[in-house]
Amino acid sequence: MTVTWEEAGWERMAAGVGRCRLPVWDCTAGLVAGEGAVLVVDAGSSPAEGARLREQAQSLTGRRVTHLALTHPHFDHVFGAAAFTGAEMFAAVGADAALTRARDREELYEDAVGNGLARDVARASADRLAAPRHLVSGEWTLDLGGGRRVLLANVGPGHTAHDLAVLVPGDPEVVFCGDLVEESGEPQAGPDAVPSQWPAALDRLLALGGEDALYVPGHGAVVDAAFVRAQRDALAARFGVSS
């Protein structure tokens, strides 16, 4: 029996493009399918969650996951990456050190435990992290086949020093924003945030997607350009950044 995207718990936003909201931290994972390749955006908060994402992606598309893009190096977005063995992994320049350096792994572990992830799961997840093979300094276009091209753009720093956005051209265009944009709560600025440059990162997101795009936040419901612009202005006011 064929399962639809909706039946599998995924929100379909355009042909071959969807996302799901993962439990506990309401973290978004994205899926983009071409004729010859499949991209998953963010990997969830544990290898088990990553494995479920990979299985769902393969079930929905009928093809194996070939590419994984990590929007930023926080545990709820990257701890599932170990489940994507064999997929080409992409992240912003600098994220490789944040995922593999012992000090940074320990910080990810502590953050995960502090947010409620079981210690044994957090330890195993942190220890299994691997460096992304492909690091994006500007823009990188992926050809997924059948005319489906996806643009990876290093739009940070902002929420972290290593923020990657994913633009899927089409009608409508879809932009996976990571935690540069949050809808289900106020954007979180941890110790690795760069508040002074966060509004400018949202300006780059808006330039990337335009007025009619669907913007997919790292947490919460899909939003429009007006929401992103309002959040940009709120962050500028919150952090004392002049327009």
Side-chain angles (χ1 to χ4, degrees):
M1 182 178 66
T2 301
V3 177
T4 67
W5 290 57
E6 290 74 17
E7 289 170 338
W10 286 73
E11 178 182 355
R12 186 175 179 272
M13 294 175 293
V17 184
R19 69 84 175 251
C20 68
R21 294 169 68 169
L22 299 170
V24 184
W25 293 283
D26 190 28
C27 182
T28 287
L31 175 59
V32 186
E35 286 188 2
V38 175
L39 166 70
V40 167
V41 182
D42 284 337
S45 60
S46 69
E49 191 163 67
R52 287 193 295 272
L53 283 173
R54 186 168 191 166
E55 290 166 4
Q56 289 177 352
Q58 293 177 172
S59 176
L60 290 170
T61 65
R63 293 180 290 282
R64 70 181 184 89
V65 176
T66 54
H67 299 76
L68 174 66
L70 302 177
T71 60
H72 62 286
H74 281 171
F75 83 92
D76 49 336
H77 296 260
V78 304
F79 267 8
F84 291 84
T85 303
E88 297 289 331
M89 194 189 315
F90 294 78
V93 165
D96 51 333
L99 294 173
T100 58
R101 193 164 47 200
R103 180 189 66 199
D104 294 274
R105 282 191 179 190
E106 197 61 25
E107 289 178 357
L108 283 171
Y109 165 78
E110 294 291 349
D111 187 40
V113 171
N115 278 280
L117 191 64
R119 288 186 176 275
D120 58 338
V121 175
R123 183 80 276 159
S125 301
D127 289 347
R128 292 177 63 187
L129 282 173
R133 179 179 176 186
H134 306 289
L135 301 174
V136 182
S137 59
E139 296 181 349
W140 191 311
T141 299
L142 299 178
D143 186 348
L144 301 183
R148 168 59 48 84
R149 292 178 178 269
V150 176
L151 181 69
L152 309 181
N154 186 334
V155 295
H159 176 65
T160 72
H162 318 294
D163 293 311
L164 187 74
V166 179
L167 169 69
V168 187
D171 186 16
E173 294 194 329
V174 178
V175 184
F176 292 95
C177 307
D179 286 3
L180 284 168
V181 178
E182 295 192 41
E183 185 276 336
S184 56
E186 186 173 289
Q188 298 300 299
D192 58 344
V194 187
S196 64
Q197 298 189 52
W198 199 332
L202 294 186
D203 286 336
R204 288 189 284 274
L205 269 184
L206 288 164
L208 193 67
E211 283 300 306
D212 299 323
L214 299 177
Y215 292 87
V216 185
H219 302 265
V222 175
V223 300
D224 59 14
F227 181 96
V228 177
R229 189 172 296 108
Q231 194 156 94
R232 180 250 184 248
D233 293 343
L235 286 168
R238 174 179 165 188
F239 298 128
V241 180
S242 59
S243 299

